[in-house]
Amino acid sequence: MEEAIKEEAIMEEVYKGTKEEFIEEADKETREECREEREMEIKKVASENKPGKESTKNSIDYGISGIPLCILLLLCFAFFLFPEHSNQILSSVRGFLGREFSVYYLGIGLFIFLLSFYIAFSPLGNIVLGEPDEKPKYSFFTWGSMMFTAGLAADILFYSLGEWILYANDPYVQSLGKLSDWSSIYTLFHWGPIPWGFYLVLAAAFGFMLHVRKRSRQKYSEACRAILGKHTDGLAGRGIDLLAVFALLAGTATTFSVATPLMSEIIKKLIPNGLSTRELTLIILIATCVVYTFAVLKGMDGVSFLAKLCTWLFYALLLYIFFGSGVGSFIVKNGMNALGKMVEHFFSMATYTDPLGENHFPENWTIFYWAYWMVWCVAAPFFIGSISRGRTIRQTIMGGYIFGIGSTYVSFIVLGNFTLSLEVFHKLPVLQLYQENGSLYLTVVKMLETLPLPGLVFILLLLTMIAFYATSFDSIALVAAQYSYKSLPEGQEPSRKVQGFWAILLILLPLALVFSESSMVNLQSVSIIAAFPIGLVILLISLSFLKDAKAYLLELEERSKGEKREIDKGVRKE
């Protein structure tokens, strides 16, 4: 009896060992087959679709490229010929949307932020954007640099230095408490978790669409296919794609037009000349266009190099100001204090609607910022999703929060608290200067002149802003060029002509806004108006992604069960 039991135990061990060897061998064969198929697919794509050539299958979608171009030209002529009337229309539409649809903008922001954590820490977070055993293509620093610089342009430097001044003069912020507290808190809130939540949820959705489902239509509408179905290829999908392109153009116009006047003022300080601020701004816009066009024509190598260069310049500037200002202790302490209070009051700030219309603070600020980030959600998340291949969805979202918010907050804490210290410690009457000259750009220049070697600071800031603009818009031009194709296989870059076309197109509306001498309020209006329909599309993409990703997990589960059954059959046969 004992011998029979021993023999049975030995047979069971042999069976287990055989089964494990079979499973290991099967997994190895499956991985080899996947790699071989992938290599063959890449070679096929490379041979059929060489850069600079268009195949019949991957032909240009002239509707997506042509219709926005025609409307953009009409808008440019309107801003050139009727600047005052155009600005009045923008202001009235922006006021209506801000008053009547405040809950809509604020609700979408809070929902997407909460959804990002659900996605990251649910089973969906384990999905790899690519093959199940694939490793990330880029290191964390390179990936984070490209993500950070694609998601934020030179306006982060401008707002980091001077945004607290705008809040300090706001009656609502003044009613909340001390200047040093609340003016810093709102800068962190408006550039923090909710804005980056927009980026990262959509980055996960687009990365899943590109690298897991391997869709060749790299467009907004394709991310809605799980819900829209066949309508994705009809009028509904067409309308979504056109809205996305208009939002893309509005976002670039707002960003370019807001911060370039600061660059003009810096150049006037470094090189005194007879040119006006507007003339210098036009020269800067064109020069920046040349830089990012050159980078985008170099492909991903050019984009990644410029992103890393921009990141190093950015941190060099922060380190110089942190140590050179002599107020490092105040910067750290006030930054930590503002961060704590922001966390404490986060949900009350995220849901404040000014129901009685007493101060219009949400309309003027929070709604503008959520709209500003929404219109940037056309290009930045697409780019982040495309460079996140090999990372899990959880790594993409949480890594994005760590690198994106971390770098953003370092900028606002260092630069913002340095300029705030000038007012708090009475080194420079910052608020009085702003009231006297009425220009935030001139005020920022005056504040920077208090640093040691201000000329060096101006040069470093100017180079960093140019690098930020170039890295933001080379990624946008690349995504917009991909958007112009009816079908573009994963891994293939658009032709140089299409990339060059978008690089030039993106600069036209900013030039028109500069010529029309639009105020900052009217520049904000462009984003708020464009974001209204895009908000609905963002919700549609998010819900479609949830549906598709859950279906994918069920597919993996069924596939795993099928493989186990096949393995069991093979073991029994042996």
Side-chain angles (χ1 to χ4, degrees), residues 343-389:
V343 173
E344 179 186 355
H345 297 280
F346 178 82
F347 285 100
S348 62
M349 291 191 292
T351 54
Y352 178 63
T353 59
D354 183 28
L356 299 179
E358 296 174 327
N359 51 64
H360 303 291
F361 183 83
E363 175 188 332
N364 293 335
W365 289 107
T366 307
I367 290 172
F368 156 63
Y369 271 117
W370 288 189
Y372 183 54
W373 289 76
M374 280 187 210
V375 295
W376 266 82
C377 279
V378 177
F382 236 115
F383 182 76
I384 295 170
S386 68
I387 64 173
S388 297
R389 183 176 185 119

Side-chain angles (χ1 to χ4, degrees), residues 18 41 64 71 114 117 140 156 178 248 271 323 337 352 375 410 418 459 505 517 552:
T18 305
E41 184 180 346
I64 291 297
I71 296 178
L114 296 175
F117 285 92
F140 183 72
I156 186 179
K178 290 172 61 178
L248 173 69
I271 310 171
F323 290 107
N337 181 63
Y352 178 63
V375 295
V410 168
F418 153 63
I459 292 171
L505 186 61
E517 297 185 335
Y552 174 72

Side-chain angles (χ1 to χ4, degrees), residues 55-222:
S55 68
T56 304
K57 183 180 177 182
N58 303 329
S59 58
I60 300 295
D61 188 338
Y62 289 102
I64 291 297
S65 304
I67 295 174
L69 173 61
C70 294
I71 296 178
L72 179 64
L73 291 174
L74 289 175
L75 286 174
C76 289
F77 280 121
F79 280 113
F80 277 128
L81 300 176
F82 311 104
E84 292 184 9
H85 190 58
S86 300
N87 289 331
Q88 287 173 1
I89 293 174
L90 284 177
S91 298
S92 60
V93 176
R94 177 246 177 92
F96 172 76
L97 293 176
R99 287 191 306 271
E100 304 301 326
F101 293 93
S102 58
V103 174
Y104 167 77
Y105 288 98
L106 298 177
I108 290 176
L110 188 57
F111 170 75
I112 293 295
F113 167 68
L114 296 175
L115 181 64
S116 70
F117 285 92
Y118 166 75
I119 293 171
F121 293 103
S122 71
L124 302 179
N126 297 321
I127 296 174
V128 177
L129 300 178
E131 302 299 330
D133 61 343
E134 193 169 349
K135 301 300 180 185
K137 181 178 179 180
Y138 301 102
S139 68
F140 183 72
F141 178 76
T142 301
W143 174 75
S145 297
M146 287 194 289
M147 175 191 61
F148 175 59
T149 55
L152 295 169
D155 51 344
I156 186 179
L157 297 171
F158 167 64
Y159 281 119
S160 293
L161 289 162
E163 186 172 317
W164 69 267
I165 299 173
L166 302 174
Y167 295 141
N169 289 307
D170 190 283
Y172 173 68
V173 176
Q174 290 174 347
S175 70
L176 294 175
K178 290 172 61 178
L179 164 69
S180 59
D181 286 343
W182 285 96
S183 59
S184 298
I185 292 168
Y186 265 107
T187 59
L188 300 183
F189 175 66
H190 286 150
W191 291 77
I194 289 179
W196 277 97
F198 283 124
Y199 277 3
L200 298 172
V201 168
L202 293 188
F206 294 141
F208 180 81
M209 179 189 84
L210 294 171
H211 306 311
V212 179
R213 291 305 192 190
K214 301 189 184 302
R215 304 265 168 77
S216 59
R217 291 181 71 254
Q218 298 185 20
K219 297 183 179 181
Y220 239 45
S221 61
E222 191 64 31

Side-chain angles (χ1 to χ4, degrees), residues 12-28 31 567-568 570-571 574:
E12 187 175 345
E13 288 297 321
V14 170
Y15 172 78
K16 283 182 180 178
T18 305
K19 186 175 180 179
E20 288 173 1
E21 288 174 6
F22 189 89
I23 291 170
E24 186 178 347
E25 188 65 28
D27 286 346
K28 186 177 179 181
R31 285 195 296 269
I567 290 169
D568 287 339
V571 171
E574 290 187 1

Side-chain angles (χ1 to χ4, degrees), residues 256 283-297 470 503-504 507:
F256 251 140
I283 293 172
I284 291 168
L285 287 173
I286 295 170
T288 306
C289 179
V290 171
V291 173
Y292 77 70
T293 300
F294 177 78
V296 80
L297 293 179
I504 295 170
I507 205 72

